[in-house]
């Protein structure tokens, strides 16, 4: 597989968490490995904190044994942990055949599992523990050649960035799913607005409210109130929240003299990146119709959509 295609496949797959591991496995194979295994090491437990590996059922038991016992005996892990960040380490540079013959790890576990050679690397994960990645080659195959090692070295930065992007995308997708579920359970209509107050996201309840056009409506892509005075009040509130980043509430009715039936909460999205799931959104507006349902708490909104605490 061409190097440019490998790189493109990695980055494209990183944005779709469900398919990333399969693509990463295929890329690992193209780089000369039979299986990949990545994890962070828990020093207190002397065991991996998590294990992510090639999505093949035959590796499940092998990785489980590594996590439960043999990872603590792995002599290669220390070489990878002590190497400079982003630099590949090859096990054949550190272990002789005599070392292999005397090693419980290799004789009782690694070789019987069908695996022999490793090229490993330590990646930095911002805000978290370092990630150790091993590209493993089957027993019976030759060691990694100088040409293969050079190719892997040239791919190191792309492997690291794609893994970090994939993990960030997993968090964003998870937060988005939780936020959507929370809003649906609470019966809230959710609108995400960009810096020009245009709607860039609306959940199903919000779309239904716009179609009904009883209290709020769509005005050239912008969120507006049906009542002219209330529309002015809504625009003013959106402007204030965008400027001060302090949340506000607003009550709407179908006409000026009617009782308030819809209650809006307007909040600024934080700059921590969670709102990336809502596109270019800078403001979040939630609308609740009058009912006996419990009000959503501010903390729930912050957790669901990464809102500012202001």
């Amino acid at each position: 597989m061409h190097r440019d295609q490998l790189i493109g496949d990695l980055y494209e797959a990183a944005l779709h968490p469900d398919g990333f591991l399969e693509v990463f496995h295929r890329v690992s194979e193209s780089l000369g490995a039979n299986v990949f295994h990545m994890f962070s090491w828990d020093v207190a437990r002397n065991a991996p904190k998590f294990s992510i590996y090639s999505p093949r059922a035959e590796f499940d038991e092998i990785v489980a044994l590594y996590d439960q016992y043999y990872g603590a005996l792995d002599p290669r892990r220390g070489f990878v942990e002590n190497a400079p960040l982003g630099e590949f380490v090859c096990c054949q540079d550190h272990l002789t055949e005599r070392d292999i013959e005397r090693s419980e790890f290799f004789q009782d576990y690694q070789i019987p599992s069908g695996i022999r050679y490793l090229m490993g690397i330590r990646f930095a994960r911002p805000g978290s523990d370092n990630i150790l990645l091993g590209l493993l080659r089957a027993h019976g195959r030759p060691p990694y050649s100088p040409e293969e090692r050079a190719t892997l070295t040239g791919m190191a930065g792309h492997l690291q960035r794609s893994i970090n992007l994939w993990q960030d995308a997993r968090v964003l997708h998870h937060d988005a799913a939780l936020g959507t579920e929370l809003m649906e359970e609470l019966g809230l209509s959710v609108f995400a607005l960009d810096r020009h107050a245009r709607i860039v996201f609306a959940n199903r309840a919000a779309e239904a409210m716009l179609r009904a056009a009883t209290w709020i409506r769509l005005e050239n892509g912008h969120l507006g109130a049906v009542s002219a005075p209330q529309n002015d009040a809504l625009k003013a509130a959106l402007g204030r929240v965008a400027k001060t980043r302090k949340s506000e509430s607003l009550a709407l009715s179908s006409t000026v003299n009617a009782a308030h039936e819809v209650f809006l909460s307007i909040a600024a999205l934080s700059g921590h990146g969670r709102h990336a799931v809502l596109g270019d959104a800078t403001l979040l507006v939630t609308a609740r119709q009058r009912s006996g349902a419990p009000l959503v708490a501010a903390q729930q909104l912050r957790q669901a959509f990464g809102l500012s605490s202001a």
Side-chain angles (χ1 to χ4, degrees), residues 15-65:
L15 299 176
H16 304 281
D18 292 342
F20 177 72
L21 297 184
E22 180 61 41
V23 172
F24 200 90
H25 174 77
R26 293 202 303 267
V27 170
S28 299
E29 288 184 321
S30 298
L31 295 172
N34 293 92
V35 58
F36 76 84
H37 183 198
M38 71 176 89
F39 55 86
S40 290
W41 192 257
D42 188 331
V43 177
R45 294 174 50 245
N46 199 29
K49 189 171 296 183
F50 69 88
S51 275
I52 297 173
Y53 52 94
S54 293
R56 300 292 184 271
E58 60 265 31
F59 299 130
D60 291 348
E61 185 176 352
I62 295 172
V63 174
L65 288 172

Side-chain angles (χ1 to χ4, degrees), residues 29 46 57 80 125 154 160 171-172 183 190 201 255 273 283 308-309:
E29 288 184 321
N46 199 29
V80 178
R125 171 67 178 157
Q160 175 178 8
V171 173
L172 292 172
M183 297 302 103
V190 181
F201 169 83
T255 63
L283 295 177
S308 167
S309 58

Side-chain angles (χ1 to χ4, degrees), residues 145-247:
S145 69
E147 293 76 17
E148 289 170 327
R149 294 168 68 164
T151 299
L152 278 165
T153 297
M155 287 288 294
H158 297 294
L159 295 175
Q160 175 178 8
R161 286 190 289 273
S162 68
I163 289 170
N164 282 335
L165 181 61
W166 168 65
Q167 293 198 327
D168 289 341
R170 289 177 72 196
V171 173
L172 292 172
H173 281 263
H174 179 262
D175 285 357
L178 287 178
T180 299
E181 182 179 350
L182 173 63
M183 297 302 103
E184 295 292 343
E185 286 184 1
L186 294 170
L188 290 177
S189 299
V190 181
F191 305 90
L193 313 182
D194 67 11
R195 61 190 181 91
H196 301 294
R198 289 189 296 252
I199 298 174
V200 295
F201 169 83
N203 69 352
R204 287 178 294 183
E207 291 174 349
M209 188 172 283
L210 286 173
R211 286 194 298 270
T214 304
W215 305 281
I216 57 176
R217 62 183 178 180
L218 192 63
E219 295 183 328
N220 299 317
H222 296 74
L223 184 66
V226 172
S227 164
Q230 292 176 355
N231 192 38
D232 292 338
L234 174 57
K235 290 180 178 178
L238 292 173
R240 287 192 300 271
V241 174
K243 183 176 181 180
T244 66
R245 304 192 65 79
K246 293 183 178 179
S247 301

Side-chain angles (χ1 to χ4, degrees), residues 82-96:
N82 294 322
L85 279 169
E87 183 174 303
F88 269 108
V89 175
C90 212
C91 70
Q92 69 239 35
D93 296 339
H94 299 271
L95 297 169
T96 66

Side-chain angles (χ1 to χ4, degrees), residues 242-274:
K243 183 176 181 180
T244 66
R245 304 192 65 79
K246 293 183 178 179
S247 301
E248 292 194 20
S249 298
L250 188 67
L252 302 179
S253 56
S254 55
T255 63
V256 175
N257 296 322
H260 291 144
E261 291 290 338
V262 171
F263 304 90
L264 305 183
S265 293
I266 307 168
L269 286 164
S270 72
H272 300 304
R274 288 190 175 186

